[in-house]
């Protein structure tokens, strides 16, 4: 009979400890909910501002990458055109190339070339 009383005592003590743990957990939840209600919109606004700031930085970074990609493509296109002209000139060369040979190969007017150079300079200065 003593053993039965000891077992029952241990089980009751165990359930009492569980109830105390659950009570402290519920009290902590209640305190945190009250604290959140007290802060309310201020914390939500701060969180929203922080998230929006991260979004703006990511969007700005993405736009900068797009701009850099376009700039590099334009630059590579110009180099490719120059390389093609040089290779064509070398292929046709018998001696020293003349300025007229270069004009024939590029197929661009002097004004267009000057405009393209001005645009590249302005882009390089802005970067």
């Amino acid at each position: 009979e003593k053993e039965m009383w000891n077992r029952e005592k241990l089980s009751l003590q165990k359930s009492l400890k569980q109830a105390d743990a659950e009570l402290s957990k519920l009290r902590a939840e209640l305190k945190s909910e009250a604290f959140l209600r007290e802060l309310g919109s201020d914390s939500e606004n701060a969180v929203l501002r922080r998230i929006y700031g991260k979004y703006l930085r990511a969007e700005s970074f993405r736009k900068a990458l797009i701009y850099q990609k376009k700039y590099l493509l334009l630059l590579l296109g110009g180099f490719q055109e120059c390389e093609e002209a040089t290779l064509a000139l070398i292929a046709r060369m018998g001696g020293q190339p003349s300025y007229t040979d270069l004009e024939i190969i590029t197929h661009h007017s002097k004004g267009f070339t000057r405009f393209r150079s001005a645009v590249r300079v302005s882009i390089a200065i802005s970067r």
Side-chain angles (χ1 to χ4, degrees), residues 10-53:
L10 288 175
S11 69
L12 287 174
Q13 285 177 346
K14 195 176 189 181
S15 64
L16 180 62
K17 285 181 184 178
Q18 287 176 351
D20 282 339
E22 189 175 333
L23 181 63
S24 63
K25 182 180 173 183
L26 289 173
R27 282 182 181 162
E29 283 181 19
L30 185 62
K31 284 181 184 178
S32 66
E33 285 179 10
F35 181 70
L36 287 176
R37 269 190 247 125
E38 192 175 298
L39 287 178
S41 63
D42 291 341
S43 65
E44 289 174 3
N45 285 340
V47 168
L48 285 175
R49 274 190 234 122
R50 187 170 48 94
I51 290 172
Y52 187 66

Side-chain angles (χ1 to χ4, degrees), residues 2 20 23 27 42-43 60 62-63 66 71 73 80:
K2 250 186 174 179
D20 282 339
L23 181 63
R27 282 182 181 162
D42 291 341
S43 65
S60 174
R62 186 184 69 82
K63 286 181 181 177
I66 288 172
Y71 173 72
L73 285 174
Q80 182 180 8

Side-chain angles (χ1 to χ4, degrees), residues 67-68 70-72 74-75 115-127:
Y67 178 78
Q68 289 172 4
K70 287 180 181 178
Y71 173 72
L72 288 175
L74 283 172
L75 210 60
F115 173 74
R116 181 182 256 177
S117 299
V119 168
R120 286 186 181 154
V121 166
S122 65
I123 289 173
I125 289 172
S126 70
R127 295 300 282 159

Side-chain angles (χ1 to χ4, degrees), residues 89-102:
L89 183 65
I90 290 172
R92 292 177 37 180
M93 237 171 41
Q96 290 291 334
S98 65
Y99 183 72
T100 55
D101 290 339
L102 285 175

Side-chain angles (χ1 to χ4, degrees), residues 55-88:
Y55 164 75
L56 287 178
R57 282 190 295 278
E59 189 67 17
S60 174
F61 183 71
R62 186 184 69 82
K63 286 181 181 177
L65 286 177
I66 288 172
Y67 178 78
Q68 289 172 4
K69 178 183 172 185
K70 287 180 181 178
Y71 173 72
L72 288 175
L73 285 174
L74 283 172
L75 210 60
L76 288 175
F79 286 134
Q80 182 180 8
E81 189 176 295
C82 290
E83 183 183 10
E84 287 172 359
T86 305
L87 289 176

